[in-house]
Amino acid sequence: MTKMMRAIEISEPGGPEVLTLTQRPIPAPAHGQVVLKVAYAGVNRPDALQRAGAYNPPPGASDLPGLEAAGEVVALGAGVTELEIGDQVCALLPGGGYAEYVATPAAHCLPIPAGLSLKQAACLPETCFTVWSNVIARGGLEAGERFLVHGGSSGIGTTAIQLAAALGARVFTTAGSDEKCQACLGLGAER
């Protein structure tokens, strides 16, 4: 690997035109982290808010946008045993996904689901981790329970419907139009 990479940074708050190409050092993995060679990065609302100047990255996180990506593991930090160099993963990132390489905790990496491309998998981590953490880990949703999803046609909503239905919950949802409601039914909502 070279020592520098291309990255997209925010030159000033504003619209998409403030995203500029720059050179940055390739990150090194800290303890428990991996470095990914990014194939695709997802685009999320916090990325747009950060670009507009309305969202600050957490302390210690990269100032580059990009909270999810898919790619190949190219470096392992000390203590990483569950991944190997060459593994293809999608990952939740602490920022920095709009770059050729990004460092992230190994625990935030998921294998690429069977049948999905890297491009498709890059769009999974942010919504899947959010829904899993809030609905299943914290909320304790179980098979047979009733689950109401407001805004069922949103990114989080569509993921919540599918995960809850796969878990065996009875899923109900709200959405803003008949077409959106039909889409929610197609994803596993009961009503």
Side-chain angles (χ1 to χ4, degrees):
M1 289 193 314
T2 64
K3 295 182 187 261
M4 298 297 285
M5 66 178 180
R6 293 177 296 171
I8 301 297
E9 68 182 5
I10 301 167
S11 60
E12 63 184 274
E17 70 281 354
V18 305
L19 297 174
T20 59
L21 184 62
T22 190
Q23 292 282 315
R24 294 274 183 102
I26 293 175
H31 187 275
Q33 288 187 330
V34 298
V35 173
L36 303 180
K37 183 176 191 328
V38 175
Y40 295 95
V43 178
N44 291 280
R45 180 167 167 75
D47 300 318
L49 291 172
Q50 181 180 354
R51 187 197 69 230
Y55 174 84
N56 292 323
S62 173
D63 65 322
L64 299 175
L67 298 175
E68 62 185 350
E72 180 181 340
V73 175
V74 295
L76 304 172
V80 175
T81 58
E82 61 274 16
L83 294 170
E84 296 180 8
I85 292 184
D87 285 350
Q88 292 194 335
V89 298
C90 56
L92 184 64
L93 310 172
Y98 288 17
E100 290 182 289
Y101 297 89
V102 64
T104 195
H108 291 185
C109 295
L110 300 170
I112 304 298
L116 292 187
S117 67
L118 285 170
K119 182 178 182 180
Q120 293 166 320
C123 302
L124 293 176
E126 182 70 18
T127 57
C128 288
F129 273 95
T130 298
V131 172
W132 186 269
S133 173
N134 288 294
V135 174
I136 296 160
R138 290 181 183 177
L141 183 66
E142 295 180 0
E145 291 185 319
R146 293 183 182 109
F147 180 59
L148 173 62
V149 179
H150 287 294
S153 62
S154 69
I156 294 290
T158 59
T159 302
I161 290 168
Q162 292 174 85
L163 286 177
L167 186 66
R170 296 182 62 197
V171 182
F172 302 88
T173 187
T174 63
S177 70
D178 289 342
E179 182 181 358
K180 290 178 179 181
C181 287
Q182 282 304 119
C184 293
L185 293 172
L187 293 173
E190 183 176 321
R191 183 166 181 158

